[in-house]
Amino acid sequence: MSTYGRIISFAKPYHRYFPRYVVFAFLSIIFGLVNLALLKPLFQVIFETETEEELLKMADTTGLSFGKDYIEALFYQKFIAFREANGPNSALIYVSIVIGISALFSNLFTYISNVIMGYMRADLIEKLRNKVFNNTSKLHLGFFAGERKGDIMSRMTNDVQEIEVTLVSSIKVFFREPATIIIYLTFLFITSVQLTLFTLVFFPIMGFIISEIVKKLKKKAILSQESLGRIVNLMDEVFGGMRVIKAFNAQKYIGGLFEKETETYKKINVSMARKNELASPISQFLGISVVATLLVVGGNLVLNNETDLDGASLLVYIIVFSQILTPAKGISQSFSNIQRGMASAERIFKLIDEEPKIQDKPNAQIKSSFDTNIAFKEVGFVYEKEPVLSDINVTVNKGQTIALVGSSGAGKSTLADLVPRFYDTTLGEISIDGIPIKDIEINSLRNLMGVVTQESILFNDSVARNIAFAMPNAKEEDIIKAAKIANAHEFIVNLEGGYNASVGERGGKLSGGQRQRISIARAIMKNPPILILDEATSALDTESEKLVQEALTNLMKNRTSIVIAHRLSTIQHADLILVMDKGRIVERGNHEDLITQKGIYHKLINMQAV
Ligand code: ADP
């Protein structure tokens, strides 16, 4: 399906919008034309161009079937009657009133058709944005690491908006403007075949010049959106990392990067504006030239009596003709909009079409309990090229706590990420109770696990909702119970608003230790048999650390835990400690075993003791 067709397909159900739009748009065009046509009798009154005899001829309905001429004749009957009864001044009022009424209808119908279009546009954008959001949030974690967050956000905001603008103009291009041109042209043909054939030569020339200009725009539009993506990305990074920027006095450096990017954006847009803005004056100039030529040619025909057109008809003809230029210009303008919108649409569809790399197998098993063990067999993993994990063999029995230690970059987090299938193993296999996790339905697999990350991720919502995260039906008493076990109840009730207090953006209204305890309460609330903990006690003060440590101990009671340990003092009671280095397990055993081995673990303990 073409990109354009795909965008339009979001406007479903069409039957609610298109027929109604077409009817009202059509009516508004017709009344608009009637309005212009009524100028003829107006001129006839003012300039007294027609003799009584000629007018009577025009008012004769005999032999006419229902159509333009018939309606015109009826109009003239009334017109003559008015003129005879009250003189030309009242005929003027009569014509003006009819013009007013028809203008009222024309604008009313324009309004209705535009409102219908407004509905359709809003509906379409809502569906499109939800679709991108839902598809994107289903993607594997790796996608968000590789693809830049700012770029994704820019696609969801700017590109969707771009499509919003494009779409409205494009439907006008495909219906309203061509319909206007066809109806007006028909009128012109009826008025004078000779003149109309002459003018038709000019249209293709104008069209060709303008289309050449817009063709060059599309490439620039893509560059412009990409540059905007980088700007958004930079802002996201900067405002998120303000503390570091200030501490390093890096405002100037960051400002430089920002200005460089905004300059790129400026250059692209200036160059786009140069071409884009050329379309309008060129078409305007060409349009007026055509009208001027027409005046000369038509005027000569009338003056030399070489046509049955009279002066009033020629004036109406030229006015109607000049009105065709507006939709013609509209079409050319819209084509450039469509080009821009297409670039946006392609970027959006790339996001929609991205397949999640981690998906359920067709016959994936639902696993609702954890009974015996988690086993890693010959597990290996690469992110891009270099192996990050190799030859991982270990069995974690139910109820055990295993700790992963090792220097930064050793592969501890990556190993922990493999268990809930945030990433899939490249080599070997992880199984739970003997079932490979790749055969287990992902949701049920993740339901068995609680993940507490080093950085507590809180959402801008109430404390209660952050604890009962994604559990809209959670009971208040359960939330309080979880908070108590997590050592969080006391500080929560002291907050203004208690459990209903907002935690602020990313939990910004709370301290680091408080955030930690809320995310521990969240894990307790979920009550999973398996826990994956990324210990983050290093950034806390002693008091907080004690509270968090206690909360963690409560959380780990009667569960199976995989702990990424940063503080070796906290894992001395672990059943098994795995020391990792460069993606391999280099030592294993409990605390005492490893101390006696006098290997890396021993060294690390000594280092931390200093
Ligand atoms: P640790 O948790 O022990 O500090 P990690 O598991 O975070 O170690 O990282 C192990 C290695 O994998 C490091 O060399 C790191 O640079 C690399 N790595 C981590 N995440 C990614 C990623 N998303 N893409 C590519 N490489 C990564």
Side-chain angles (χ1 to χ4, degrees):
M1 197 169 18
S2 73
T3 310
Y4 188 78
R6 269 186 87 179
I7 288 287
I8 296 287
S9 73
F10 280 92
K12 274 180 192 153
Y14 309 114
H15 64 83
R16 280 227 322 260
Y17 301 110
F18 282 132
R20 277 190 275 170
Y21 173 75
V22 167
V23 168
F24 285 109
F26 185 77
L27 283 174
S28 86
I29 297 168
I30 292 289
F31 275 95
L33 181 62
V34 167
N35 236 345
L36 298 177
L38 283 168
L39 292 173
K40 182 174 161 187
L42 203 64
F43 292 142
Q44 286 168 340
V45 180
I46 297 171
F47 302 128
E48 292 183 345
T49 50
E50 247 66 12
T51 62
E52 204 64 33
E53 219 170 282
E54 281 166 331
L55 282 178
L56 278 175
K57 210 171 107 201
M58 283 194 266
D60 189 4
T61 52
T62 44
L64 293 177
S65 55
F66 189 78
K68 173 181 167 281
D69 291 342
Y70 184 82
I71 296 172
E72 208 174 300
L74 283 185
F75 173 85
Y76 276 106
Q77 283 175 9
K78 284 255 179 258
F79 178 68
I80 293 166
F82 252 86
R83 200 157 115 150
E84 276 180 359
N86 311 306
N89 295 30
S90 87
L92 205 58
I93 292 170
Y94 166 72
V95 177
S96 304
I97 288 175
V98 180
I99 288 180
I101 292 172
S102 117
L104 184 71
F105 276 118
S106 164
N107 285 295
L108 182 69
F109 292 136
T110 306
Y111 169 72
I112 296 175
S113 64
N114 285 345
V115 169
I116 293 171
M117 194 53 65
Y119 265 106
M120 191 184 95
R121 175 170 60 150
D123 203 14
L124 184 150
I125 291 301
E126 181 193 15
K127 286 189 191 130
L128 183 65
R129 204 170 253 143
N130 286 343
K131 172 96 179 163
V132 194
F133 183 80
N134 289 331
N135 273 45
T136 312
S137 54
K138 276 192 205 126
L139 291 175
H140 48 281
L141 212 56
F143 181 81
F144 298 93
E147 200 86 358
R148 311 187 83 178
K149 220 168 57 187
D151 182 53
I152 297 176
M153 292 202 288
S154 147
R155 288 189 203 194
M156 292 198 58
T157 48
N158 301 321
D159 284 321
V160 172
Q161 204 146 27
E162 193 72 59
I163 289 171
E164 195 172 349
V165 177
T166 327
L167 204 98
V168 187
S169 61
S170 76
I171 290 172
K172 278 193 179 163
V173 173
F174 289 127
F175 176 72
R176 200 192 159 95
E177 312 298 36
T180 309
I181 293 175
I182 291 169
I183 292 170
Y184 279 28
L185 264 183
T186 313
F187 177 88
L188 294 182
F189 260 113
I190 294 173
T191 315
S192 169
V193 177
Q194 215 175 354
L195 271 184
T196 310
L197 285 177
F198 168 78
T199 55
L200 279 183
V201 177
F202 284 85
F203 269 108
I205 297 173
M206 259 171 71
F208 176 75
I209 295 175
I210 290 162
S211 73
E212 278 305 295
I213 295 170
V214 297
K215 235 191 247 164
K216 297 197 174 129
L217 276 172
K218 187 175 173 184
K219 218 169 126 199
K220 284 272 159 53
I222 295 178
L223 293 177
S224 156
Q225 291 296 341
E226 281 173 357
S227 165
L228 201 59
R230 288 194 294 271
I231 290 176
V232 173
N233 196 50
L234 197 62
M235 288 197 294
D236 185 50
E237 271 177 18
V238 167
F239 298 140
M242 221 48 196
R243 187 184 298 269
V244 176
I245 290 171
K246 291 205 184 298
F248 283 82
N249 273 334
Q251 287 98 326
K252 216 169 163 187
Y253 168 71
I254 290 290
L257 291 181
F258 194 77
E259 278 165 22
K260 209 169 134 201
E261 198 53 58
T262 48
E263 195 186 331
T264 310
Y265 185 72
K266 179 185 84 180
K267 280 187 185 149
I268 297 168
N269 279 283
V270 164
S271 142
M272 249 164 85
R274 258 196 227 127
K275 290 192 178 115
N276 210 3
E277 298 306 328
L278 206 57
S280 178
I282 287 186
S283 67
Q284 188 116 172
F285 173 72
L286 287 176
I288 301 287
S289 311
V290 175
V291 171
T293 320
L294 205 59
L295 263 175
V296 175
V297 177
N300 268 325
L301 289 177
V302 174
L303 288 177
N304 303 336
N305 273 335
E306 285 168 10
T307 166
D308 44 3
L309 272 185
D310 54 29
S313 300
L314 177 67
L315 274 182
V316 172
Y317 182 96
I318 288 176
I319 290 170
V320 172
F321 176 79
S322 67
Q323 295 303 305
I324 287 190
L325 299 177
T326 313
K329 268 189 282 180
I331 290 178
S332 81
Q333 186 73 45
S334 298
F335 269 119
S336 88
N337 281 345
I338 286 180
Q339 299 281 6
R340 285 215 326 259
M342 285 301 210
S344 287
E346 274 159 27
R347 282 158 52 83
I348 293 269
F349 285 134
K350 247 188 167 166
L351 214 48
I352 290 182
D353 293 338
E354 183 81 30
E355 286 281 327
K357 284 214 182 92
I358 295 184
Q359 294 201 46
D360 282 331
K361 273 194 180 167
N363 299 320
Q365 285 189 39
I366 293 183
K367 182 129 184 48
S368 47
S369 66
F370 170 51
D371 304 313
T372 55
N373 62 30
I374 308 170
F376 294 73
K377 269 187 231 139
E378 299 297 328
V379 169
F381 183 77
V382 283
Y383 280 108
E384 277 143 19
K385 276 188 210 136
E386 296 298 311
V388 171
L389 294 174
S390 325
D391 301 329
I392 305 291
N393 285 295
V394 62
T395 301
V396 186
N397 290 322
K398 187 176 178 182
Q400 281 190 332
T401 294
I402 69 154
L404 306 176
V405 295
S407 55
S408 165
K412 305 179 295 290
S413 313
T414 307
L415 185 63
D417 277 350
L418 296 181
V419 185
R421 287 189 73 194
F422 290 153
Y423 295 92
D424 271 341
T425 54
T426 320
L427 290 173
E429 186 177 272
I430 301 174
S431 55
I432 292 185
D433 297 341
I435 306 166
I437 57 173
K438 285 182 187 169
D439 293 342
I440 300 174
E441 195 215 28
I442 297 170
N443 282 348
S444 75
L445 175 77
R446 289 182 187 160
N447 266 340
L448 296 176
M449 299 170 195
V451 174
V452 179
T453 49
Q454 192 165 14
E455 208 182 312
S456 346
I457 312 281
L458 299 190
F459 295 88
N460 193 359
D461 205 336
S462 67
V463 171
R465 276 179 198 268
N466 267 294
I467 295 178
F469 185 59
M471 298 181 182
N473 301 320
K475 287 199 207 109
E476 199 186 324
E477 62 214 59
D478 292 336
I479 298 177
I480 295 177
K481 210 165 116 196
K484 280 184 177 161
I485 299 174
N487 269 346
H489 180 69
E490 228 157 88
F491 89 78
I492 296 172
V493 289
N494 282 327
L495 293 174
E496 201 179 322
Y499 278 84
N500 292 322
S502 149
V503 302
E505 204 173 322
R506 296 182 197 190
K509 290 184 189 165
L510 303 176
S511 77
Q514 290 173 335
R515 284 202 293 270
Q516 272 276 311
R517 282 176 279 158
I518 289 195
S519 40
I520 293 170
R522 180 192 284 164
I524 291 171
M525 187 76 197
K526 192 180 173 193
N527 195 21
I530 301 168
L531 273 180
I532 296 167
L533 298 181
D534 196 344
E535 223 189 23
T537 49
S538 47
L540 302 176
D541 58 80
T542 332
E543 176 62 20
S544 262
E545 188 188 326
K546 211 175 120 240
L547 289 171
V548 170
Q549 201 50 54
E550 235 174 67
L552 281 175
T553 313
N554 291 343
L555 169 66
M556 286 157 69
K557 231 176 253 165
N558 302 324
R559 294 182 220 267
T560 309
S561 313
I562 298 176
V563 183
I564 299 172
H566 301 284
R567 291 229 146 176
L568 301 182
S569 55
T570 61
I571 51 146
Q572 296 188 356
H573 304 295
D575 298 291
L576 178 64
I577 298 167
L578 302 176
V579 183
M580 297 188 64
D581 187 37
K582 299 194 183 88
R584 290 173 189 275
I585 299 173
V586 289
E587 283 172 28
R588 62 172 76 203
N590 62 24
H591 178 69
E592 284 76 28
D593 297 339
L594 294 177
I595 291 289
T596 40
Q597 273 187 29
K598 290 205 186 303
I600 298 180
Y601 183 76
H602 184 250
K603 249 191 231 155
L604 289 171
I605 287 277
N606 284 340
M607 266 161 63
Q608 286 209 350
V610 173

